Every structure is written in C-alpha cells, then in structure tokens.
Amino acid sequence: EAGVAQSPRYKIIEKRQSVAFWCNPISGHATLYWYQQILGQGPKLLIQFQNNGVVDDSQLPKDRFSAERLKGVDSTLKIQPAKLEDSAVYLCASSLGTSGAGEQYFGPGTRLTVT
Amino acid sequence: AQSVTQPDIHITVSEGASLELRCNYSYGATPYLFWYVQSPGQGLQLLLKYFSGDTLVQGIKGFEAEFKRSQSSFNLRKPSVHWSDAAEYFCAVGAGTASKLTFGTGTRLQVTL
C-alpha cells in the first residue's frame, strides 16, 4: 500500500513570508497528525485530526499556524508569517483509529528553513 | 502529563557488537511504549511497541525491548548490530485512549566497521 505522502520535501523562505505544506495520509486512515521536529529534538505534536475534526491542537501556535483537513482526507499546514524559530522538519503521520495503542505511519517530512 | 528521557545523545558501537539504548518514561498509568527509527531524510518507522502482557517485546530488524515497570524503563536491545542500523532512534509514550505520542530527544547510533 502507498505510504503517507508529503510535499514539498524542502522549502526555504524568508522570515515573515508564508508557507504551506501538504499531506496525503494512507487510504482509509481516519486520524492524521502534524508534528514539528526541531533539529536535535524529538517530534512534537502540533495538531491531530480525526476525519475532518480537530482532536488536539493544544500545542499549535494559533497566532501563526493553521491547519485544515477538508473532506477528511488530505491536509494542509500553513505558517503565516514565518519566524526563524519555525525552521524544522514538519512530519505528517496517519493511523487507522484513535487509540493510544494504534500505530502511526509517518511521511518523509518537509524540511523548512527560514532565513 | 507524560514525558520520555533518552539519556544518551550519541552512541558508537562496532559492527557485530551488542546494543542497548536507554529510555525512561514518566506516566501515571500503564503506558503504551514505542520505539521508532529515523534514517537520514526519512520519516519515522516503528520498530516495536508495548501495550500489555509479556514485558519482552520483539520487533522488526532483530530488535527487542523490555518493559520494566519498577524502573520506568523501556530499553531497546539488539544482540549484533549491522552497519545499516546507523540511524536515530526515538522512544515514545502514548497515553490511554488519546493517541498523542510524546517523544524523547532521540539517540543517534553510529556503527563502525
């Protein structure tokens, strides 16, 4: 089966610009996650969707980050305006259900550099 | 709130040698525990997971991990390391019905020939 797809793989922008990332989860997976992985750290959950509803966005900086999952399938994560500290790899993951025991499948990530 | 500590930032082992990567967690109830591996430029791949039952868990690529409740640990082991095992390894804890994962800071494994 096809894995989690993400694009673009790399993006370089200047601070105060905007950027958007796209994720297509594994077919049939109800739950979709966006993680931020800063260099030298583990991934940190930004937002979790179940179908097209938000389950957890407690760590999403809502003044500049937004995400949507229209029709409960693919998703976009947007940053506007970007700051230097947003430089990171943005990982998308999906899982079949919402149980804590469920395996999450990760995409290759988008590496964002803010200059 | 749950947390994970991986005390070793970087480990170097010789090919063929045994490996143990340490992970300590903090969580009030029985946790769900995971080990993921991340190769350069790749996403995370699940190696193994613990939910309940047998405390020694077998995973892919010859890895195993042992859950020790008394020590709040979930250390990853492999009896004989291959050069292709060089990567970054992350321990993570999940909590109950919420599938949010909390990751440790990772351990980078270098394998010398």
Side-chain angles (χ1 to χ4, degrees):
Chain A
E1 66 180 7
V4 176
Q6 291 188 247
S7 67
R9 292 294 309 276
Y10 306 91
K11 190 73 176 181
I12 301 173
I13 62 172
E14 296 181 352
K15 59 183 178 183
R16 291 187 290 274
Q17 286 186 325
S18 63
V19 64
F21 312 128
W22 174 82
C23 171
N24 190 28
I26 293 173
S27 177
H29 280 197
T31 309
L32 185 147
Y33 314 79
W34 283 102
Y35 289 87
Q36 180 191 57
Q37 185 178 16
I38 293 173
L39 186 65
Q41 299 181 20
K44 181 186 78 171
L45 180 70
L46 293 176
I47 189 167
Q48 175 186 344
F49 292 94
Q50 182 181 357
N51 296 312
N52 59 351
V54 176
V55 174
D56 183 347
D57 64 356
S58 58
Q59 298 193 89
L60 185 74
K62 298 179 185 66
D63 57 334
R64 298 183 300 105
F65 286 64
S66 65
E68 60 181 10
R69 190 185 184 195
L70 299 177
K71 302 181 181 179
V73 181
D74 55 355
S75 174
T76 55
L77 176 70
K78 297 179 182 178
I79 307 175
Q80 182 179 9
K83 293 184 176 181
L84 295 177
E85 58 260 37
D86 298 331
S87 294
V89 176
Y90 290 85
L91 296 165
C92 180
S94 68
S95 65
L96 203 54
T98 59
S99 166
E103 178 176 351
Q104 297 185 24
Y105 295 82
F106 285 80
T110 295
R111 181 176 298 276
L112 173 67
T113 302
V114 182
T115 63
Chain B
Q2 63 264 37
S3 66
V4 176
T5 301
Q6 294 182 248
D8 303 306
I9 297 174
H10 185 212
I11 284 182
T12 301
V13 300
S14 300
E15 189 174 39
S18 63
L19 171 70
E20 183 169 24
L21 302 182
R22 296 183 290 165
C23 171
N24 292 97
Y25 69 90
S26 174
Y27 181 60
T30 300
Y32 300 127
L33 295 164
F34 304 80
W35 273 100
Y36 282 85
V37 60
Q38 185 176 36
S39 298
Q42 303 295 315
L44 283 76
Q45 180 184 21
L46 181 68
L47 287 176
L48 47 77
K49 57 188 177 184
Y50 171 79
F51 299 149
S52 64
D54 192 349
T55 56
L56 185 62
V57 179
Q58 302 297 320
I60 63 171
K61 303 184 180 185
F63 286 91
E64 67 177 27
E66 185 171 12
F67 171 60
K68 293 186 177 180
R69 184 188 302 275
S70 61
Q71 299 177 19
S72 297
S73 70
F74 188 56
N75 294 349
L76 182 71
R77 302 193 294 246
K78 187 170 184 177
S80 178
V81 170
H82 188 262
W83 64 266
S84 60
D85 293 325
E88 185 124 25
Y89 292 79
F90 292 93
C91 182
V93 60
T97 56
S99 53
K100 172 182 176 177
L101 291 181
T102 298
F103 285 85
T105 51
T107 297
R108 179 165 297 279
L109 173 66
Q110 183 177 356
V111 179
T112 58
L113 301 177

